[in-house]
Amino acid sequence: MESAANTPLPETGDVSQRGLLRTVWDVSFRIVIRYIKNSYKDDPFRTFLEVCLVGFIIWYMTKQKYNIGTNEVVLTTKEIDELCEDWKPEPLVPELTEFERETLDKAVLIDGPNGIRVKLASGSGKQVLNFASYNFLGFINSPDIEKRAQEMLRKYGVGSCGPPGFYGTLDVHMELEKQLAAFVGHSSAILYSQAFTTTLSVIPCFSKRGDIIVADEGVAFSLQQAIALSRSKVYWYKHNDMADLERVLAEVNAQLAGRKSALPRKFIITEGLFQNTGDITPLDALVELKHKYKYRIILDESLSFGVMGKRGAGLTDHYNLDPHEVDLMIGALNNAIGASGGFCCADKDLVEHQRLSGLGYCFSASMPGILTVAAADALHSLENNPDDYLPAMRENSVHLRTLLRRIQGLQVEGSNESPVVHIRLTPETLVRMKRSGGAWTKTDIDRVLTELTDEAQKDGVLLTRSMFVDEHERLMPNSSIRICVSAAHTKKDIEKCAHAVKSAVSRVTSKKR
Amino acid sequence: MPTIVQRVASVANLNEFSVNPNSHWVNHKGSWTTNIVIIIVFRFVFGVIPWSTPELSWTLTNLSYCLFQYLMFHGIIGTPFEVNQGEYDNLTLWEQMDNGEQYTPTKKFLTVVPIIVFLISTHYTNYDVPTFIINFTALLIILIAKLPAFHRVRFFGINMGQSSMH
């Protein structure tokens, strides 16, 4: 109607434009009304649902994007000022406690090469018997190895100057890997340049986020770190308790049963010869459990390699098991072998996988040629004449343990054959020593043990308290003195050590405090 | 007044610069177009079935597209290859998209498209009550799965990964 009335006035463009708009509005309004009438279909509920959906579209489209899990805390100026005032900068190096200072002052300094008999730099510079180094077979100061190492120094220089994948591989590395695999009896081996980082590299290389690790509570620091780095789900079982291990394995398998998602990798991780207690893992029972519950075993043989077994090839040798039962065997060359670095024995595919994604292998310079040759030579000697080393070491261990067990007020830990002997004062002795009553703190016990090692040092026997980074240990091991027996010790040395411990214990315990 | 905004790092923030190849393709314009093309193809195929009514072909189109979206975005968890040590192992594709950010353009697009398909279908057809309920329920299921409130939420034991294991 209106549009018709406007047509006679074409010259006023403004009005006609307004009219056109009106027409368009009119028509579209009519279309909308007609559409709604058409689609109404006598069902108000259906229309209501449709309008809700349109409303949902509008609501959803107008939303700003945001991150779930980001908590934003808005602070006012006053709060900021307060926070700034409260802030006290921590020193870059924290202040040492009194006991830490004492420990640092008493750190033993050796003048000259390390070995069975060492000269102390502090004090009178007298010679003492070394029972503190992991020198189980006495390879540290073997003259043959030293001579050969000097020759190799002329040939290979001091360092390899690159990771194995980047010009860091020497012929001796590959030879040593073959030699290690053949000695252990596994398919192949891979060499790492540092013993500590071997575990840190191998475990995260295979056990990833979402995988499952069942580990012994008493494992050493490097294994604890490696397990933490793997980001896997960890279950702990009581130290060397196979019944508890079986309970955990069954529990984990029951939880996994019926899950639709892909099965995770499952590992049992433990140590061959425990660094913190001197125990041996019952590997035969462990292998049975592994097959029963379908797990893989990662065994850290850092201390047991070269020590356990008839040939010194580790725990599988000791229990007469097929080495392939241990899926990943981690060993160290810096303890019994007396060189440096570590290795991992496994199936060929597992080793090749490490060459590409083992962090310690890919990003760390390879072992110097001189140390590689020293390790190869020591391994050679052990391979050819195991009877020159192993029986002597075992006899010494058993002998020392028998002598130490006779001492009043002393507790001797660990398996009989193990050359790592942990001793500590019995709780009754400790109670008797504290006349004033009151509880013993860890620092008090450590102080007494330090006194004990000092006394022994006066008698010419070098001992050490086992030390830990307290705040990083998962379960703090009990304070103890760690005695390391070597094949190179004579029977007289062992007796001297036992005697020194005995007199030190009697002197320390009788002291008034 | 000046304000300081303190951000607590979340997984998404840490991975701002890492790309999840399993979910990245969803953001391409080509995959948006593919969605539309798929719907048109569905409608065409179901339309040429002899003796089919518009109600039947639209219902089939709607249900197929909803099923397609459900399978693609909500039905399968994890990635076919390893990404960041299995970080996305228990997440659906919808949860992996844009590192878990909500209301991103792609998410808006994929939410709005099934609604529009449904509205168009009700416009062109004369659904009876059962057909309408079937169509509406299918739409509702995939809409609920997309809501931010149900991010990483599982019920009826659907898509339970390992993370819920304890």
Side-chain angles (χ1 to χ4, degrees):
Chain A
M1 284 280 287
E2 267 180 305
S3 60
N6 279 336
T7 32
L9 303 160
E11 66 277 10
T12 49
D14 194 34
V15 177
S16 74
Q17 210 171 21
R18 205 176 58 207
L20 193 70
L21 272 176
R22 264 195 189 176
T23 318
V24 170
W25 168 247
D26 235 38
V27 171
S28 52
F29 184 72
R30 247 180 259 145
I31 288 174
V32 167
I33 290 289
R34 203 173 61 212
Y35 173 72
I36 291 176
K37 262 187 189 160
N38 268 351
S39 56
Y40 179 59
K41 289 169 189 140
D42 295 330
D43 194 344
F45 184 64
R46 194 181 289 190
T47 312
F48 170 72
L49 284 181
E50 286 172 10
V51 171
C52 280
L53 283 178
V54 173
F56 178 78
I57 291 182
I58 294 165
W59 172 78
Y60 199 88
M61 290 305 279
T62 49
K63 279 285 194 175
Q64 289 289 311
K65 71 175 173 185
Y66 82 105
N67 253 328
I68 287 176
T70 321
N71 304 323
E72 292 184 337
V73 181
V74 181
L75 299 173
T76 62
T77 325
K78 201 182 152 207
E79 282 169 330
I80 293 166
D81 290 343
E82 278 172 6
L83 282 174
C84 289
E85 266 167 42
D86 286 349
W87 184 67
K88 280 194 194 74
E90 261 177 42
L92 211 53
V93 180
E95 199 83 7
L96 291 179
T97 63
E98 197 190 335
F99 182 60
E100 281 171 339
R101 165 74 51 208
E102 283 169 27
T103 312
L104 201 60
D105 290 342
K106 278 183 186 161
V108 175
L109 221 71
I110 290 173
D111 188 11
N114 195 1
I116 292 297
R117 282 174 186 77
V118 292
K119 221 173 107 190
L120 290 184
S122 52
S124 54
K126 66 172 178 177
Q127 214 180 39
V128 291
L129 261 174
N130 185 359
F131 278 89
S133 302
Y134 290 127
N135 178 22
F136 304 126
L137 304 178
F139 281 131
I140 286 187
N141 41 5
S142 151
D144 294 343
I145 292 173
E146 202 178 313
K147 199 169 144 246
R148 185 78 199 291
Q150 278 171 3
E151 284 166 24
M152 286 303 127
L153 190 60
R154 308 253 172 262
K155 186 174 174 190
Y156 292 108
V158 279
S160 63
C161 303
F166 293 87
Y167 314 112
T169 305
L170 302 173
D171 49 353
V172 284
H173 289 139
M174 296 166 78
E175 279 160 25
L176 181 57
E177 279 176 359
K178 276 191 199 125
Q179 195 185 346
L180 280 168
F183 180 64
V184 173
H186 225 302
S187 312
S188 60
I190 178 170
L191 208 60
Y192 285 84
S193 51
Q194 254 214 336
F196 193 92
T197 52
T198 310
T199 41
L200 292 188
S201 178
V202 174
I203 292 174
C205 181
F206 291 101
S207 187
K208 309 278 185 187
R209 193 203 304 248
D211 293 337
I212 284 166
I213 289 178
V214 179
D216 192 296
E217 272 185 343
V219 295
F221 186 59
S222 68
L223 275 172
Q224 293 173 32
Q225 291 293 304
I227 288 168
L229 279 177
S230 73
R231 303 199 273 181
S232 308
K233 206 159 174 58
V234 192
Y235 298 83
W236 299 93
Y237 67 91
K238 283 192 202 113
H239 174 57
N240 258 355
D241 185 343
M242 289 300 121
D244 193 47
L245 171 62
E246 182 157 15
R247 177 188 66 78
V248 176
L249 296 183
E251 219 169 75
V252 171
N253 278 4
Q255 278 168 2
L256 284 176
R259 297 278 168 207
K260 196 173 64 176
S261 57
L263 274 178
R265 287 166 283 248
K266 300 183 289 184
F267 298 97
I268 302 172
I269 297 185
T270 184
E271 244 178 303
L273 175 57
F274 284 88
Q275 192 184 328
N276 292 346
T277 50
D279 292 347
I280 297 169
T281 296
L283 192 64
D284 41 357
L286 201 73
V287 167
E288 260 172 49
L289 288 178
K290 160 199 151 155
H291 287 300
K292 191 172 169 196
Y293 292 96
K294 298 192 166 50
Y295 276 72
R296 292 186 177 94
I297 296 181
I298 301 181
L299 186 66
D300 182 6
E301 300 223 44
S302 294
L303 288 183
S304 54
F305 177 71
V307 170
M308 304 306 301
K310 253 190 232 96
R311 296 180 299 121
L315 226 55
T316 48
D317 186 16
H318 180 75
Y319 284 102
N320 268 328
L321 290 167
D322 178 9
H324 289 86
E325 295 285 7
V326 176
D327 300 88
L328 286 157
M329 175 216 172
I330 299 168
L333 299 170
N334 62 343
N335 297 328
I337 298 301
S340 164
F343 66 92
C344 174
C345 277
D347 280 343
K348 189 165 171 283
D349 290 344
L350 299 187
V351 165
E352 298 300 315
H353 178 63
Q354 289 175 56
R355 290 196 203 281
L356 293 177
S357 57
L359 299 181
Y361 187 83
C362 294
F363 301 109
S364 197
S366 59
M367 229 159 105
I370 158 179
L371 287 167
T372 318
V373 173
D377 282 2
L379 201 61
H380 224 68
S381 316
L382 180 62
E383 217 173 343
N384 292 337
N385 321 299
D387 293 339
D388 287 2
Y389 304 97
L390 298 172
M393 181 196 67
R394 250 160 246 157
E395 267 164 39
N396 282 346
S397 311
V398 173
H399 191 45
L400 183 68
R401 259 174 231 273
T402 345
L403 292 178
L404 288 178
R405 287 219 173 91
R406 286 189 201 143
I407 299 172
Q408 278 283 313
L410 204 66
Q411 210 175 322
V412 185
E413 270 210 358
S415 154
N416 245 346
E417 294 123 317
S418 103
V420 183
V421 188
H422 280 267
I423 56 170
R424 56 178 66 100
L425 296 171
T426 54
E428 301 87 63
T429 323
L430 288 173
V431 170
R432 203 161 2 97
M433 277 166 72
K434 205 146 196 168
R435 301 269 158 78
S436 56
W440 283 85
T441 63
K442 189 179 175 298
T443 316
D444 289 341
I445 299 174
D446 283 348
R447 218 171 240 143
V448 171
L449 292 179
T450 313
E451 257 174 64
L452 232 153
T453 56
D454 289 348
E455 291 292 332
Q457 205 173 307
K458 276 183 207 157
D459 286 351
V461 172
L462 184 61
L463 299 179
T464 183
R465 186 166 63 77
S466 45
M467 299 201 195
F468 306 98
V469 188
D470 296 10
E471 58 268 31
H472 290 300
E473 289 281 344
R474 192 180 156 269
L475 287 178
M476 198 57 213
N478 284 330
S479 305
S480 63
I481 289 176
R482 191 190 59 218
I483 305 178
C484 297
V485 182
S486 168
H489 287 129
T490 60
K491 208 167 179 191
K492 238 176 162 182
D493 294 340
I494 298 293
E495 273 153 20
K496 189 178 174 189
C497 171
H499 188 77
V501 172
K502 189 178 179 182
S503 55
V505 168
S506 67
R507 260 177 277 166
V508 168
T509 48
S510 62
K511 211 192 225 170
K512 280 194 179 130
R513 64 188 76 228
Chain B
M1 190 170 69
T3 56
I4 288 181
V5 175
Q6 211 179 355
R7 274 181 201 282
V8 179
S10 75
V11 179
N13 279 353
L14 290 177
N15 294 325
E16 226 163 291
F17 303 105
S18 74
V19 170
N20 175 1
N22 187 42
S23 67
H24 186 66
W25 59 271
V26 183
N27 293 328
H28 295 321
K29 286 287 171 278
S31 61
W32 288 32
T33 326
T34 311
N35 264 279
I36 308 288
V37 171
I38 283 173
I39 294 165
I40 292 170
V41 168
F42 274 152
R43 177 67 188 84
F44 178 75
V45 168
F46 294 128
V48 295
I49 298 173
W51 305 290
S52 75
T53 57
E55 279 78 19
L56 180 67
S57 54
W58 270 113
T59 304
L60 285 178
T61 308
N62 217 343
L63 290 184
S64 318
Y65 183 66
C66 286
L67 186 70
F68 159 76
Q69 269 216 351
Y70 183 81
L71 289 181
M72 281 302 280
F73 295 101
H74 311 291
I76 301 164
I77 56 170
T79 49
F81 28 77
E82 198 191 274
V83 182
N84 197 10
Q85 288 215 348
E87 188 190 336
Y88 302 104
D89 273 1
N90 300 320
L91 299 183
T92 62
L93 180 57
W94 186 261
E95 288 158 342
Q96 292 175 32
M97 276 163 60
D98 306 310
N99 281 326
E101 242 184 331
Q102 299 298 321
Y103 304 119
T104 54
T106 312
K107 282 190 172 172
K108 283 180 176 174
F109 174 78
L110 289 170
T111 310
V112 167
V113 164
I115 302 180
I116 293 195
V117 171
F118 175 79
L119 289 178
I120 292 176
S121 76
T122 58
H123 168 77
Y124 278 118
T125 58
N126 232 335
Y127 284 148
D128 56 3
V129 174
T131 331
F132 185 87
I133 289 175
I134 290 171
N135 278 293
F136 192 70
T137 317
L139 176 68
L140 219 56
I141 288 172
I142 57 163
L143 282 189
I144 286 172
K146 286 176 169 53
L147 286 179
F150 291 100
H151 187 72
R152 294 185 181 219
V153 176
R154 299 279 184 275
F155 34 55
F156 308 135
I158 301 170
N159 287 344
M160 289 291 235
Q162 259 175 259
S163 62
S164 49
M165 198 182 69
H166 216 50

